Amino acid sequence: MAYQLLSTVAHRDTLPEGYTRPENDRPQLADVVTDTNIPLIDLASLDKHSIIAEIDQACRTYGFFQIVNHGISEELLEKVMAVGLEFFRLPPEEKAKLYSDEPSKKIRLSTSFNVRKETVHNWRDYLRLHCHPLEEFVPDWPSNPETFKEIISTYCREVRLLGLRLLGAISLGLGLDEDYIEKVLGEQEQHMAVNYYPRCPEPDLTYGLPKHTDPNALTILLMDPHVSGLQVLKGGVQWIAVDPRPNALVVNLGDQLQALSNGAYKSVWHRAVVNASRERLSVASFLCPCNSAVIGPAAKLVADGDEPVYRSYTYDEYYKKFWSRNLDQDHCLELFTDQN
């Protein structure tokens, strides 16, 4: 029920029941480091071959990168963040109109991740929106704040174009035709999660979101410009903090690009942590294959005798399996290896 939303209740000096992680599953914030070598790619560079090479290297080593001069204006990014915060500050009765804990619902306001399945909750509220085609979904988006539909739909259009541009560069980095990935993924769906992380009384005991990979193809994240919280797992051993950069967007690869690349590119493990002093907002845009898209290693990448790591499957099959599990279980792709 809507009363579970963290953004509607006052919080005391300790975590409410149900949010404390077991001792062996806590953020260990003191062990997190800052990596000054996180790939930062300038999309305005005149050397297009260099851009493709930088993206390729980032996909093989980190599984994510930051981009600047991406074509989305600073003014629009600021408006998106402002209207998102305005939404979460609405009165409880207004937010209750959109609340649902049904994962299959295409427009919903909810909390944590999957409250129907999980045993420990996450310190997050989120507004989930389907965004493509816009004319199909926008009428059911929030009408309050008044500017919400206009601002968010404008951002959705621009981030989709950016995402398709990045998929072209990723295809070229793999040695494939520029439109290969876009064709394989079909008429891609587009989802958005507007994530709200309130101030947390005991941030060392819980997560905003525990470690996970994204089940889709590509995620473009607009970070809070003032508060960090995203962390990624480097080399499978070290959590690194991803600090916000002015006007930058974070791009991370989803599971489907790891499968299409036959494991050459990595779907990065990442998590969201919270803090005691400041609330935080982030906006994640997900480019997803159409449900009927058949995903598997590109034929060109296994033509020279390399064995396919993953079997072919439909995205619908994958997505249902992903949502049937807990978020922080072993990599869902492990269930789709050629041996399974």
Side-chain angles (χ1 to χ4, degrees):
M1 297 299 291
Y3 66 82
Q4 297 183 74
L5 290 169
L6 296 168
S7 55
T8 64
V9 296
H11 303 294
R12 301 182 178 179
D13 296 331
T14 58
L15 280 176
E17 184 179 356
Y19 287 88
T20 301
R21 292 267 163 183
E23 284 193 28
N24 64 349
D25 183 27
R26 293 177 181 173
Q28 306 298 328
L29 298 175
D31 296 333
V32 177
V33 301
T34 298
D35 186 344
T36 58
N37 296 315
I38 290 173
L40 178 66
I41 300 173
D42 184 353
L43 295 186
S45 169
L46 297 177
D47 187 346
K48 302 307 178 187
H49 293 291
S50 176
I51 292 175
I52 293 166
E54 288 179 40
I55 290 176
D56 174 62
Q57 181 66 15
C59 292
R60 293 178 187 275
T61 54
Y62 281 82
F64 84 106
F65 49 94
Q66 291 179 291
I67 52 174
V68 292
N69 295 320
H70 39 66
I72 302 179
S73 71
E74 178 182 359
E75 179 185 12
L76 180 56
L77 298 181
E78 290 174 350
K79 285 182 176 180
V80 170
M81 297 300 289
V83 81
L85 276 175
E86 190 178 352
F87 172 82
F88 281 102
R89 290 169 178 167
L90 290 173
E93 59 272 16
E94 187 70 22
K95 288 184 289 190
K97 298 174 184 177
L98 288 166
Y99 183 84
S100 174
D101 58 12
E102 170 51 60
S104 64
K105 193 169 182 181
K106 294 185 175 182
I107 297 170
R108 70 185 188 278
L109 173 64
S110 197
T111 192
S112 190
F113 176 70
N114 187 350
V115 292
R116 292 186 175 187
K117 282 187 59 62
E118 62 201 17
T119 55
V120 181
H121 300 315
N122 305 298
W123 198 257
R124 174 186 80 138
D125 288 348
Y126 64 97
L127 176 64
R128 186 83 175 193
L129 303 173
H130 277 225
C131 309
H132 184 78
L134 278 169
E135 59 271 16
E136 179 179 339
F137 296 112
V138 168
D140 295 323
W141 285 7
S143 297
N144 192 6
E146 288 185 6
T147 58
F148 185 91
K149 290 181 179 180
E150 177 186 356
I151 292 171
I152 298 300
S153 61
T154 299
Y155 179 71
C156 285
R157 288 188 190 96
E158 297 201 18
V159 86
R160 184 176 184 86
L161 292 174
L162 173 61
L164 295 176
R165 177 184 170 193
L166 289 168
L167 288 177
I170 289 168
S171 282
L172 291 170
L174 285 167
L176 306 171
D177 291 340
E178 186 171 4
D179 62 354
Y180 177 85
I181 292 177
E182 185 176 347
K183 284 183 175 178
V184 168
L185 300 182
E187 184 60 26
Q188 293 175 64
E189 292 192 5
Q190 182 178 346
H191 308 165
M192 173 184 283
V194 185
N195 302 303
Y196 177 73
Y197 305 97
R199 289 184 298 170
C200 180
E202 296 179 289
D204 53 332
L205 302 183
T206 192
Y207 291 105
L209 277 175
K211 75 166 186 173
H212 63 284
T213 63
D214 290 344
N216 52 297
L218 194 72
T219 302
I220 299 176
L221 179 70
L222 172 58
M223 298 175 65
D224 191 309
H226 307 296
V227 189
S228 62
L230 173 65
Q231 298 178 351
V232 301
L233 189 62
K234 183 181 179 182
V237 294
Q238 178 64 62
W239 285 103
I240 60 175
V242 183
D243 293 329
R245 291 177 179 266
N247 305 318
L249 295 168
V250 174
V251 179
N252 70 268
L253 304 189
D255 296 348
Q256 307 318 311
L257 291 186
Q258 180 168 326
L260 282 167
S261 71
N262 202 37
Y265 286 177
K266 306 304 179 188
S267 177
V268 64
W269 287 98
H270 55 290
R271 66 187 187 182
V273 297
V274 291
N275 70 84
S277 59
R278 301 187 70 173
E279 63 186 354
R280 185 170 71 89
L281 189 86
S282 70
V283 180
S285 297
F286 308 98
L287 287 183
C288 312
C290 68
N291 282 339
S292 60
V294 177
I295 309 295
K300 187 175 180 179
L301 301 181
V302 293
D304 297 328
D306 291 337
E307 291 294 324
V309 177
Y310 305 104
R311 65 173 177 85
S312 295
Y313 54 86
T314 65
Y315 184 61
D316 183 60
E317 179 186 1
Y318 191 91
Y319 199 65
K320 287 177 178 176
K321 178 63 71 175
F322 181 87
W323 275 96
S324 71
R325 308 160 73 248
N326 290 327
L327 185 64
D328 55 353
Q329 283 183 256
D330 291 339
H331 205 307
C332 190
L333 265 180
E334 295 299 320
L335 303 176
F336 293 85
T337 60
D338 202 44
Q339 288 73 41
N340 286 321

